[in-house]
Amino acid sequence: MLIPTIALALQVTVSAGAQDSGVRSGSDTTRNEARRVPVTDEMRRTAFKDPAARELLLRARVARFTQDSMLISYDAKSYQRISAGLSLRATARSRLAFRSENASRVRWHRDVGARVQVLGARDVLPLAPEGSVVIGNEAGAMIRVPYYPGKEQLWVGGGLAEAEVDERKLVHPIAEGSEAYYTFATGDSIIMTLPDGKRITLREIRITAREPKWNMAVGSFWFETERAHLVRAVYRLSAPMDMRARGGVLIWVRPLMTPMLAEITAISVEYGLYSQRFWLPKLQGMEGYARVNFVRVPFSIEERYSYESVNALDSLEKVQAPDYLSSQAYRDSLTKADVDSADIRVKMREHRARADTLAEAARKSACATSATYTVNRARYDGALPIALEFPCDSTKLAHSPDLPGSIYDDGEELFGVREREELIKTLSMGLQPGWMPQSPNVAWGLAHTRFNRVEGFSTGAALRSVLGSGYSAELALRGSIADAQVNGDVSIARSNGRSSVRGALYRRLAVSSDFGAPLSFGSSLAALLYARDEGFYHRAWGAEVTGVRPVMGQIEWRLFGEQQWNAAVENRWSLFGGANDDRFIANVNADNGWLYGAGARWSGSRGLDPAGWRTTADLRLEAATGDFGYARGLFETTLSRGLGPVAASLTAAAGSSVGALPAQRHFFLGGLQTIRGQTAGTGYGEAFWMGRFELGTNQAGVRPVVFGDLGWAGGRDAWSAVVRPMSGVGIGASFFDGIIRMDLARGIHPKWQTRLDLYLEARF
């Protein structure tokens, strides 16, 4: 699921020039011709908010294809890093699932093409059982060439620029015909002073999509006014892409794959001025996420180019013809020849096997007499001949001094992470696509289905419509069998991809406890199979305004006015326990009353190396008045570190309160998220403290562990009293860095009992 999801999400961005790109000519087939809405006089009139925007945009459109004949060659270094994470909910800790890095020296000459010396290349899969660095000799396939004639300036990943807008792909905001899809307004200006005293003026155009669609952008684009060359851009796609609508997902599978979304939240492109004349790409980055059901995959691409010289190469050794036809070119040739699809699959397997054989034979022949071997390619329909040179000793690639010291480094020095973050702040809540409500989408299936001891089976559906200007509206309804209740909410939200604000009217089953995710898929599965529902619940109806914002992690806040009341246990059926499974525990007896208040939560994490230092932190504050007046807060942190062949983890948490705390806002201890071996709710009160220690092997893919937990909950006046704490010990196994966890725990005090738990999203 992981790799196809990432691949599809990235395809959204790079499809602008990956295979069938280039300026179209009359000899192209109809299916390759650009498809766009004809630009009317009214569109031209409304597209430009001021004359300066029109004049600069039209000049920039011409500049895209005006190649400077004075640029003959360059010698540069290219760096690229692709990262993907994995979590089972949005608030889970940061977890790296895949990272690839490469570094190369790129020498380009206008009359020859590019000769690329691959200096370093390495991949890591931290969640794999072995967790080892994997080196691929064909890593150069991902190497980026900074510039070549006709290269697209805007999209991360390269490709040839297309003269006209094509709405089947990403709708280019500068290409011919973009007036039908975008509006343009001039913004700020900056004056740069060069070493020789020459002053260059940069002018901003703020480009917004006329309507919110996945293949249209909003952003800030800066051009130098003399030649209208793009100097800097930061933008995002104006709406998430529903990948189900893109095809390839069978109807009967869709309930298991809903939602299936990809969103590009920020793309940044920055050019540098070299020899006081040539604008060449310097930094490029993209970030976003893909989501399939409850699986979330954040991903990013970072690229940096540095130039040793510009126009200093008088000549460059000719690049030979490709060693063999690329897979895509061969597939295209079969398609044009009207070969049957089944035969194409057979011939493609034969072609790949033949290509692998030829490549291996060529490598062995070259390495018999040299320390390097060369692979010849042609990219972008032959527009860029390229020769890739690899060392025969591939271990040199992983330990190259041209790569960061560790593949887990944050990349600040190399990729300018802080600088890019400052640039992304330009994508504020006010920079939004136009108002044009879209057809609503219906989401239902596994992601909207759950099971617990109050509702039994509960499922529902959500009807969501993107309205424009960053707004979306949603109507969600849910029905449950055991308690015969209908819940739901109606909401209006506004988002800029990273931050969001949402207002809602609702009636819901609310979670009283602070630890874990009782209404998630993992908790529902445990309740269904063996009655292990460790959440505590109450009912609520009212109104709220909530928000999410990235600040050194993530801040969530909530303003609410709601009535809360008791939720009785209505279901005691489990799959393996029958209709009266006494393993289901009692629920908290919630106090009835109206509450008006506010809450905030900050969560963050540092460190990606499972064998290195990693820390997570979670701070929650809440205050309310009404029938009850109280304030409460808790802080939890987990620190882990690899120590040679072993790794250790320590969790510490504490919380307290003031005022008249209703029963449903007490702290609950016990169970797999707090004190393992003890029943959930064994500890209960106005204050608590907790500590958990784990020791396991220094291997995140499969990690056997031993653990011990201590904790106390009770009246806040008894905080310092000498009491025997709750306790439990046990053994377990963590898989994929805690995505899946199994524990066999033995309660010591107050209950002497043994428990076996299988759950998702563990701390360690």
Side-chain angles (χ1 to χ4, degrees), residues 149-200:
K151 181 179 186 293
E152 173 54 58
Q153 300 176 347
L154 205 55
W155 306 140
V156 174
L160 292 177
E162 298 191 354
E164 296 184 4
V165 162
D166 189 344
E167 65 180 23
R168 294 171 298 183
K169 304 174 183 178
L170 296 183
V171 178
H172 200 295
I174 306 175
E176 183 72 34
S178 61
E179 296 93 332
Y181 302 89
Y182 293 99
T183 61
F184 309 86
T186 53
D188 295 334
S189 62
I190 297 175
I191 297 178
M192 296 175 53
T193 303
L194 303 182
D196 65 353
K198 180 181 179 181
R199 292 157 67 90
I200 295 178

Short mmCIF file of all heavy atoms in Angstrom, two decimals, residues 149-200:
data_model
loop_
_atom_site.label_atom_id
_atom_site.label_comp_id
_atom_site.label_asym_id
_atom_site.label_seq_id
_atom_site.Cartn_x
_atom_site.Cartn_y
_atom_site.Cartn_z
N PRO A 149 18.10 23.17 -22.26
CA PRO A 149 17.16 23.97 -23.06
C PRO A 149 15.75 23.37 -23.06
O PRO A 149 15.56 22.19 -23.31
CB PRO A 149 17.78 23.93 -24.47
CG PRO A 149 19.24 23.75 -24.21
CD PRO A 149 19.32 22.85 -23.01
N GLY A 150 14.78 24.21 -22.74
CA GLY A 150 13.39 23.78 -22.73
C GLY A 150 12.93 23.22 -21.40
O GLY A 150 11.77 22.82 -21.27
N LYS A 151 13.79 23.20 -20.37
CA LYS A 151 13.42 22.63 -19.08
C LYS A 151 12.31 23.46 -18.43
O LYS A 151 12.34 24.69 -18.44
CB LYS A 151 14.62 22.57 -18.14
CG LYS A 151 14.33 21.96 -16.78
CD LYS A 151 15.61 21.93 -15.93
CE LYS A 151 15.38 21.19 -14.61
NZ LYS A 151 14.47 21.90 -13.70
N GLU A 152 11.34 22.78 -17.86
CA GLU A 152 10.27 23.45 -17.13
C GLU A 152 10.85 24.10 -15.87
O GLU A 152 11.57 23.48 -15.10
CB GLU A 152 9.17 22.45 -16.75
CG GLU A 152 8.10 23.02 -15.84
CD GLU A 152 7.48 24.28 -16.41
OE1 GLU A 152 6.95 24.22 -17.54
OE2 GLU A 152 7.55 25.33 -15.74
N GLN A 153 10.53 25.37 -15.67
CA GLN A 153 11.07 26.13 -14.55
C GLN A 153 10.35 25.88 -13.24
O GLN A 153 10.92 26.07 -12.17
CB GLN A 153 10.98 27.64 -14.84
CG GLN A 153 11.74 28.10 -16.07
CD GLN A 153 11.50 29.58 -16.32
OE1 GLN A 153 10.62 30.22 -15.75
NE2 GLN A 153 12.33 30.16 -17.19
N LEU A 154 9.11 25.45 -13.31
CA LEU A 154 8.23 25.53 -12.14
C LEU A 154 8.05 24.24 -11.38
O LEU A 154 8.01 24.23 -10.15
CB LEU A 154 6.86 26.05 -12.59
CG LEU A 154 6.01 26.76 -11.54
CD1 LEU A 154 6.77 27.91 -10.92
CD2 LEU A 154 4.73 27.27 -12.18
N TRP A 155 7.94 23.11 -12.06
CA TRP A 155 7.64 21.86 -11.37
C TRP A 155 8.90 21.25 -10.81
O TRP A 155 9.93 21.16 -11.47
CB TRP A 155 6.97 20.85 -12.29
CG TRP A 155 5.75 21.29 -13.03
CD1 TRP A 155 5.44 20.99 -14.32
CD2 TRP A 155 4.66 22.08 -12.54
NE1 TRP A 155 4.24 21.54 -14.66
CE2 TRP A 155 3.74 22.22 -13.60
CE3 TRP A 155 4.38 22.69 -11.33
CZ2 TRP A 155 2.55 22.94 -13.47
CZ3 TRP A 155 3.20 23.41 -11.20
CH2 TRP A 155 2.31 23.52 -12.25
N VAL A 156 8.84 20.76 -9.60
CA VAL A 156 9.93 20.00 -9.02
C VAL A 156 10.02 18.66 -9.76
O VAL A 156 9.02 17.99 -9.99
CB VAL A 156 9.69 19.75 -7.52
CG1 VAL A 156 10.76 18.81 -6.96
CG2 VAL A 156 9.69 21.07 -6.76
N GLY A 157 11.23 18.27 -10.13
CA GLY A 157 11.40 17.00 -10.81
C GLY A 157 11.77 17.11 -12.27
O GLY A 157 12.17 16.15 -12.89
N GLY A 158 11.67 18.30 -12.86
CA GLY A 158 12.13 18.47 -14.23
C GLY A 158 11.06 18.19 -15.25
O GLY A 158 9.86 18.14 -14.97
N GLY A 159 11.48 17.97 -16.49
CA GLY A 159 10.56 17.77 -17.60
C GLY A 159 10.65 18.95 -18.55
O GLY A 159 11.23 19.99 -18.25
N LEU A 160 10.08 18.79 -19.72
CA LEU A 160 10.09 19.84 -20.72
C LEU A 160 8.88 20.75 -20.55
O LEU A 160 7.79 20.30 -20.22
CB LEU A 160 10.08 19.23 -22.13
CG LEU A 160 11.33 18.46 -22.55
CD1 LEU A 160 11.12 17.86 -23.93
CD2 LEU A 160 12.55 19.36 -22.52
N ALA A 161 9.11 22.03 -20.78
CA ALA A 161 8.03 23.00 -20.68
C ALA A 161 7.06 22.84 -21.84
O ALA A 161 7.47 22.53 -22.96
CB ALA A 161 8.60 24.41 -20.65
N GLU A 162 5.80 23.06 -21.59
CA GLU A 162 4.78 23.02 -22.62
C GLU A 162 4.24 24.43 -22.82
O GLU A 162 3.99 25.15 -21.85
CB GLU A 162 3.67 22.05 -22.25
CG GLU A 162 4.16 20.62 -22.11
CD GLU A 162 3.03 19.62 -21.99
OE1 GLU A 162 1.87 20.06 -21.91
OE2 GLU A 162 3.30 18.42 -22.00
N ALA A 163 4.05 24.81 -24.05
CA ALA A 163 3.65 26.18 -24.36
C ALA A 163 2.23 26.48 -23.90
O ALA A 163 1.92 27.59 -23.47
CB ALA A 163 3.79 26.44 -25.86
N GLU A 164 1.33 25.50 -24.00
CA GLU A 164 -0.07 25.72 -23.70
C GLU A 164 -0.50 25.00 -22.43
O GLU A 164 0.06 23.97 -22.06
CB GLU A 164 -0.95 25.22 -24.86
CG GLU A 164 -0.75 25.97 -26.16
CD GLU A 164 -1.72 25.49 -27.23
OE1 GLU A 164 -2.58 24.64 -26.92
OE2 GLU A 164 -1.61 25.97 -28.37
N VAL A 165 -1.49 25.54 -21.81
CA VAL A 165 -2.15 24.89 -20.67
C VAL A 165 -2.75 23.56 -21.13
O VAL A 165 -3.30 23.46 -22.23
CB VAL A 165 -3.24 25.81 -20.11
CG1 VAL A 165 -4.22 25.04 -19.24
CG2 VAL A 165 -2.63 26.95 -19.31
N ASP A 166 -2.64 22.55 -20.28
CA ASP A 166 -3.30 21.27 -20.53
C ASP A 166 -4.01 20.87 -19.24
O ASP A 166 -3.37 20.53 -18.26
CB ASP A 166 -2.28 20.20 -20.93
CG ASP A 166 -2.96 18.92 -21.41
OD1 ASP A 166 -4.16 18.75 -21.16
OD2 ASP A 166 -2.27 18.09 -22.03
N GLU A 167 -5.33 20.94 -19.23
CA GLU A 167 -6.07 20.72 -18.00
C GLU A 167 -6.13 19.25 -17.59
O GLU A 167 -6.65 18.92 -16.53
CB GLU A 167 -7.49 21.28 -18.12
CG GLU A 167 -8.34 20.60 -19.17
CD GLU A 167 -9.73 21.19 -19.25
OE1 GLU A 167 -9.91 22.37 -18.85
OE2 GLU A 167 -10.64 20.48 -19.71
N ARG A 168 -5.60 18.33 -18.42
CA ARG A 168 -5.50 16.94 -18.01
C ARG A 168 -4.33 16.73 -17.05
O ARG A 168 -4.20 15.67 -16.45
CB ARG A 168 -5.34 16.04 -19.24
CG ARG A 168 -6.56 16.02 -20.15
CD ARG A 168 -6.26 15.30 -21.45
NE ARG A 168 -5.19 15.97 -22.21
CZ ARG A 168 -4.79 15.57 -23.40
NH1 ARG A 168 -5.36 14.53 -23.97
NH2 ARG A 168 -3.83 16.21 -24.04
N LYS A 169 -3.47 17.74 -16.96
CA LYS A 169 -2.32 17.68 -16.07
C LYS A 169 -2.43 18.84 -15.10
O LYS A 169 -3.50 19.41 -14.92
CB LYS A 169 -1.02 17.76 -16.89
CG LYS A 169 -0.91 16.70 -17.97
CD LYS A 169 0.32 16.91 -18.83
CE LYS A 169 0.39 15.89 -19.95
NZ LYS A 169 1.56 16.12 -20.84
N LEU A 170 -1.32 19.18 -14.46
CA LEU A 170 -1.30 20.39 -13.66
C LEU A 170 -1.44 21.59 -14.59
O LEU A 170 -0.71 21.71 -15.57
CB LEU A 170 0.00 20.48 -12.86
CG LEU A 170 0.23 19.37 -11.83
CD1 LEU A 170 1.53 19.63 -11.08
CD2 LEU A 170 -0.92 19.27 -10.85
N VAL A 171 -2.35 22.46 -14.25
CA VAL A 171 -2.61 23.62 -15.10
C VAL A 171 -1.55 24.67 -14.82
O VAL A 171 -1.54 25.29 -13.75
CB VAL A 171 -4.03 24.17 -14.85
CG1 VAL A 171 -4.27 25.41 -15.71
CG2 VAL A 171 -5.08 23.10 -15.14
N HIS A 172 -0.66 24.87 -15.77
CA HIS A 172 0.47 25.77 -15.58
C HIS A 172 -0.03 27.22 -15.50
O HIS A 172 -0.71 27.70 -16.41
CB HIS A 172 1.46 25.61 -16.73
CG HIS A 172 2.83 26.11 -16.41
ND1 HIS A 172 3.10 27.44 -16.17
CD2 HIS A 172 4.02 25.45 -16.28
CE1 HIS A 172 4.39 27.59 -15.92
NE2 HIS A 172 4.96 26.39 -15.97
N PRO A 173 0.35 27.97 -14.46
CA PRO A 173 -0.21 29.33 -14.31
C PRO A 173 0.39 30.36 -15.25
O PRO A 173 -0.15 31.46 -15.35
CB PRO A 173 0.14 29.67 -12.85
CG PRO A 173 1.30 28.81 -12.51
CD PRO A 173 1.12 27.55 -13.29
N ILE A 174 1.50 30.02 -15.94
CA ILE A 174 2.12 31.00 -16.83
C ILE A 174 1.93 30.64 -18.29
O ILE A 174 2.07 31.47 -19.17
CB ILE A 174 3.63 31.13 -16.50
CG1 ILE A 174 3.82 31.44 -15.02
CG2 ILE A 174 4.28 32.25 -17.31
CD1 ILE A 174 5.27 31.47 -14.58
N ALA A 175 1.58 29.39 -18.59
CA ALA A 175 1.47 28.94 -19.97
C ALA A 175 0.34 29.64 -20.72
O ALA A 175 -0.57 30.23 -20.11
CB ALA A 175 1.27 27.43 -20.00
N GLU A 176 0.39 29.58 -22.03
CA GLU A 176 -0.64 30.16 -22.88
C GLU A 176 -2.00 29.57 -22.54
O GLU A 176 -2.18 28.37 -22.49
CB GLU A 176 -0.31 29.88 -24.35
CG GLU A 176 -1.26 30.51 -25.34
CD GLU A 176 -1.11 32.00 -25.42
OE1 GLU A 176 0.04 32.48 -25.28
OE2 GLU A 176 -2.13 32.69 -25.60
N GLY A 177 -2.97 30.45 -22.30
CA GLY A 177 -4.32 30.00 -21.95
C GLY A 177 -4.61 29.97 -20.48
O GLY A 177 -5.72 29.61 -20.07
N SER A 178 -3.64 30.35 -19.63
CA SER A 178 -3.86 30.27 -18.18
C SER A 178 -4.88 31.29 -17.68
O SER A 178 -5.42 31.16 -16.58
CB SER A 178 -2.54 30.47 -17.42
OG SER A 178 -1.98 31.75 -17.70
N GLU A 179 -5.20 32.32 -18.50
CA GLU A 179 -6.21 33.31 -18.09
C GLU A 179 -7.56 32.67 -17.84
O GLU A 179 -8.39 33.22 -17.09
CB GLU A 179 -6.35 34.41 -19.15
CG GLU A 179 -5.11 35.25 -19.35
CD GLU A 179 -4.24 34.73 -20.47
OE1 GLU A 179 -4.27 33.50 -20.74
OE2 GLU A 179 -3.54 35.54 -21.09
N ALA A 180 -7.83 31.53 -18.46
CA ALA A 180 -9.12 30.86 -18.26
C ALA A 180 -9.19 30.17 -16.91
O ALA A 180 -10.29 29.81 -16.45
CB ALA A 180 -9.35 29.83 -19.37
N TYR A 181 -8.06 30.00 -16.25
CA TYR A 181 -8.02 29.21 -15.03
C TYR A 181 -7.54 30.01 -13.81
O TYR A 181 -7.76 29.58 -12.67
CB TYR A 181 -7.08 28.01 -15.21
CG TYR A 181 -7.48 27.11 -16.34
CD1 TYR A 181 -7.00 27.33 -17.64
CD2 TYR A 181 -8.34 26.04 -16.13
CE1 TYR A 181 -7.37 26.49 -18.69
CE2 TYR A 181 -8.71 25.20 -17.18
CZ TYR A 181 -8.22 25.44 -18.45
OH TYR A 181 -8.59 24.62 -19.48
N TYR A 182 -6.89 31.15 -14.03
CA TYR A 182 -6.26 31.88 -12.93
C TYR A 182 -6.58 33.37 -12.99
O TYR A 182 -6.96 33.90 -14.04
CB TYR A 182 -4.73 31.72 -12.98
CG TYR A 182 -4.24 30.32 -12.71
CD1 TYR A 182 -3.90 29.46 -13.76
CD2 TYR A 182 -4.11 29.84 -11.41
CE1 TYR A 182 -3.44 28.18 -13.52
CE2 TYR A 182 -3.65 28.56 -11.16
CZ TYR A 182 -3.32 27.73 -12.22
OH TYR A 182 -2.86 26.46 -11.98
N THR A 183 -6.36 34.03 -11.84
CA THR A 183 -6.33 35.49 -11.80
C THR A 183 -4.96 35.91 -11.28
O THR A 183 -4.30 35.18 -10.53
CB THR A 183 -7.44 36.05 -10.89
OG1 THR A 183 -7.25 35.57 -9.55
CG2 THR A 183 -8.81 35.64 -11.39
N PHE A 184 -4.55 37.15 -11.65
CA PHE A 184 -3.19 37.61 -11.39
C PHE A 184 -3.23 39.01 -10.80
O PHE A 184 -3.95 39.88 -11.30
CB PHE A 184 -2.37 37.62 -12.69
CG PHE A 184 -2.44 36.32 -13.46
CD1 PHE A 184 -3.48 36.08 -14.37
CD2 PHE A 184 -1.50 35.34 -13.28
CE1 PHE A 184 -3.55 34.91 -15.09
CE2 PHE A 184 -1.56 34.14 -13.99
CZ PHE A 184 -2.59 33.92 -14.89
N ALA A 185 -2.42 39.22 -9.76
CA ALA A 185 -2.33 40.54 -9.14
C ALA A 185 -0.89 40.79 -8.70
O ALA A 185 -0.25 39.89 -8.14
CB ALA A 185 -3.27 40.65 -7.94
N THR A 186 -0.38 41.99 -8.95
CA THR A 186 0.97 42.31 -8.51
C THR A 186 0.98 42.49 -6.99
O THR A 186 0.00 42.92 -6.38
CB THR A 186 1.49 43.58 -9.18
OG1 THR A 186 0.54 44.63 -8.99
CG2 THR A 186 1.70 43.36 -10.65
N GLY A 187 2.13 42.15 -6.40
CA GLY A 187 2.29 42.27 -4.96
C GLY A 187 3.47 43.16 -4.63
O GLY A 187 3.62 44.26 -5.16
N ASP A 188 4.36 42.67 -3.78
CA ASP A 188 5.49 43.46 -3.32
C ASP A 188 6.59 43.51 -4.38
O ASP A 188 6.54 42.81 -5.40
CB ASP A 188 6.06 42.85 -2.04
CG ASP A 188 5.06 42.93 -0.88
OD1 ASP A 188 4.21 43.83 -0.92
OD2 ASP A 188 5.14 42.09 0.03
N SER A 189 7.59 44.31 -4.12
CA SER A 189 8.77 44.38 -4.98
C SER A 189 10.01 44.47 -4.10
O SER A 189 9.96 44.95 -2.96
CB SER A 189 8.69 45.58 -5.93
OG SER A 189 8.65 46.79 -5.19
N ILE A 190 11.13 43.97 -4.63
CA ILE A 190 12.41 43.96 -3.92
C ILE A 190 13.48 44.44 -4.89
O ILE A 190 13.47 44.08 -6.07
CB ILE A 190 12.76 42.55 -3.40
CG1 ILE A 190 11.73 42.07 -2.40
CG2 ILE A 190 14.15 42.53 -2.77
CD1 ILE A 190 11.95 40.63 -1.95
N ILE A 191 14.43 45.22 -4.38
CA ILE A 191 15.57 45.66 -5.20
C ILE A 191 16.82 44.97 -4.70
O ILE A 191 17.17 45.04 -3.51
CB ILE A 191 15.74 47.19 -5.16
CG1 ILE A 191 14.51 47.87 -5.77
CG2 ILE A 191 17.01 47.61 -5.90
CD1 ILE A 191 14.57 49.38 -5.73
N MET A 192 17.51 44.25 -5.59
CA MET A 192 18.77 43.58 -5.28
C MET A 192 19.92 44.40 -5.86
O MET A 192 19.85 44.89 -6.99
CB MET A 192 18.81 42.17 -5.90
CG MET A 192 17.78 41.22 -5.36
SD MET A 192 17.81 39.62 -6.27
CE MET A 192 19.55 39.16 -6.13
N THR A 193 21.00 44.55 -5.07
CA THR A 193 22.19 45.24 -5.54
C THR A 193 23.30 44.24 -5.75
O THR A 193 23.70 43.52 -4.82
CB THR A 193 22.64 46.31 -4.53
OG1 THR A 193 21.57 47.23 -4.31
CG2 THR A 193 23.86 47.06 -5.06
N LEU A 194 23.82 44.14 -6.97
CA LEU A 194 24.87 43.20 -7.32
C LEU A 194 26.23 43.75 -6.91
O LEU A 194 26.38 44.96 -6.65
CB LEU A 194 24.84 42.91 -8.82
CG LEU A 194 23.52 42.36 -9.37
CD1 LEU A 194 23.65 42.07 -10.86
CD2 LEU A 194 23.09 41.11 -8.61
N PRO A 195 27.26 42.89 -6.87
CA PRO A 195 28.60 43.34 -6.48
C PRO A 195 29.13 44.50 -7.32
O PRO A 195 29.90 45.32 -6.83
CB PRO A 195 29.45 42.08 -6.66
CG PRO A 195 28.50 40.95 -6.43
CD PRO A 195 27.21 41.42 -7.01
N ASP A 196 28.73 44.56 -8.61
CA ASP A 196 29.22 45.65 -9.46
C ASP A 196 28.37 46.91 -9.34
O ASP A 196 28.57 47.87 -10.08
CB ASP A 196 29.28 45.20 -10.91
CG ASP A 196 27.89 44.89 -11.49
OD1 ASP A 196 26.92 44.89 -10.71
OD2 ASP A 196 27.79 44.63 -12.71
N GLY A 197 27.42 46.89 -8.40
CA GLY A 197 26.58 48.05 -8.18
C GLY A 197 25.29 48.05 -8.98
O GLY A 197 24.41 48.90 -8.76
N LYS A 198 25.12 47.12 -9.90
CA LYS A 198 23.90 47.05 -10.69
C LYS A 198 22.72 46.66 -9.81
O LYS A 198 22.85 45.81 -8.94
CB LYS A 198 24.07 46.04 -11.82
CG LYS A 198 22.83 45.91 -12.72
CD LYS A 198 23.05 44.88 -13.81
CE LYS A 198 21.81 44.74 -14.69
NZ LYS A 198 21.99 43.73 -15.76
N ARG A 199 21.59 47.30 -10.03
CA ARG A 199 20.39 47.03 -9.23
C ARG A 199 19.37 46.25 -10.07
O ARG A 199 19.11 46.59 -11.22
CB ARG A 199 19.78 48.35 -8.74
CG ARG A 199 20.67 49.06 -7.73
CD ARG A 199 20.37 50.55 -7.70
NE ARG A 199 19.05 50.84 -7.20
CZ ARG A 199 18.77 51.05 -5.90
NH1 ARG A 199 19.74 50.97 -5.00
NH2 ARG A 199 17.54 51.34 -5.52
N ILE A 200 18.83 45.20 -9.47
CA ILE A 200 17.83 44.36 -10.13
C ILE A 200 16.55 44.43 -9.31
O ILE A 200 16.56 44.26 -8.09
CB ILE A 200 18.31 42.91 -10.25
CG1 ILE A 200 19.52 42.81 -11.16
CG2 ILE A 200 17.19 42.01 -10.78
CD1 ILE A 200 20.07 41.41 -11.29
#
